[in-house]
Structure formats: structure tokens, C-alpha cells
């Protein structure tokens, strides 16, 4: 597991990616828009976006946004694929914020 924490200005966000890693994308403040070839998601602070290994996703912020990502190696959960919105319970929030 590893993390990424940066506050981005409005616009396109280039998140670090590496083969073999899935990500949980989270906006502490602000809102993210994530787009894949198949769909788009508007992700508010009470939700996060699971992005499976190998999925190309374009991320955009609409204003200054504190972005947090938690990267999980495929050995943690190799069966979880695709993209989906997930709730952010207190434990996940703490993992994302630390």
C-alpha cells in the first residue's frame, strides 16, 4: 500500500500510476470528475472512486481540490477490476488522510 496527497488547482490532474496497482481516489475538499472510455463520474467528498489496475482514467478538478489516493498492489485483491464509486467510512477516510 502507498499513498499520494497533493492539492491541485482547477483543471486536469495527472495522478501517478504503475502497472500492478489499483487506486482509491478521494477529494478531501472540492469535487473530482473522473472519465474512462465507457463512463464519467462526479465524485464528491463523501465518496471515493475505486480504479482497478490497468484502467485508464482522466481526472479533472473543478476548483482547488485536495486529492488523496491510496494505491493497493494487486496481491491485496487481484479480483477487483473496473471502476466504481465507493462510500468512505471513517476507517477508509483515516487511511486516505494519513
Amino acid at each position: 500500500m502507498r499513498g499520494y496527497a497533493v492539492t491541485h488547482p482547477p483543471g486536469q490532474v495527472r495522478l501517478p500510476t504503475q502497472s500492478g496497482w489499483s487506486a482509491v481516489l478521494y477529494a478531501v475538499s472540492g469535487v473530482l470528475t473522473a472519465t474512462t472510455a465507457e463512463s464519467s463520474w462526479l465524485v464528491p467528498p463523501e465518496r471515493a472512486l475505486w480504479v482497478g489496475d490497468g484502467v485508464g482514467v482522466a481526472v479533472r478538478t473543478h476548483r482547488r481540490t485536495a486529492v488523496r489516493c491510496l494505491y493497493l498492489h494487486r496481491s491485496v485483491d487481484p479480483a477487483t477490476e473496473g471502476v466504481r464509486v465507493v462510500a468512505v467510512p471513517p476507517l477508509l477516510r483515516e487511511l486516505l488522510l494519513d
Side-chain angles (χ1 to χ4, degrees):
M1 189 174 359
R2 60 185 180 188
Y4 172 82
V6 175
T7 299
H8 289 277
Q12 192 70 30
V13 175
R14 294 202 182 267
L15 298 172
T17 59
Q18 187 174 354
S19 180
W21 293 81
S22 296
V24 178
L25 307 180
Y26 178 65
V28 177
S29 63
V31 175
L32 297 175
T33 298
T35 305
T36 65
E38 294 82 30
S39 196
S40 290
W41 297 265
L42 188 64
V43 186
E46 60 274 1
R47 298 282 186 256
L49 193 69
W50 172 266
V51 180
D53 178 33
V55 176
V57 63
V59 178
R60 181 177 259 334
T61 60
H62 301 274
R63 62 178 185 188
R64 186 173 170 86
T65 303
V67 177
R68 303 295 181 264
C69 298
L70 187 62
Y71 294 95
L72 302 164
H73 192 265
R74 73 173 140 221
S75 62
V76 174
D77 189 358
T80 306
E81 299 175 349
V83 179
R84 67 176 174 263
V85 174
V86 296
V88 181
L91 177 60
L92 178 56
R93 182 176 167 78
E94 290 304 314
L95 287 171
L96 288 160
L97 295 178
D98 279 345

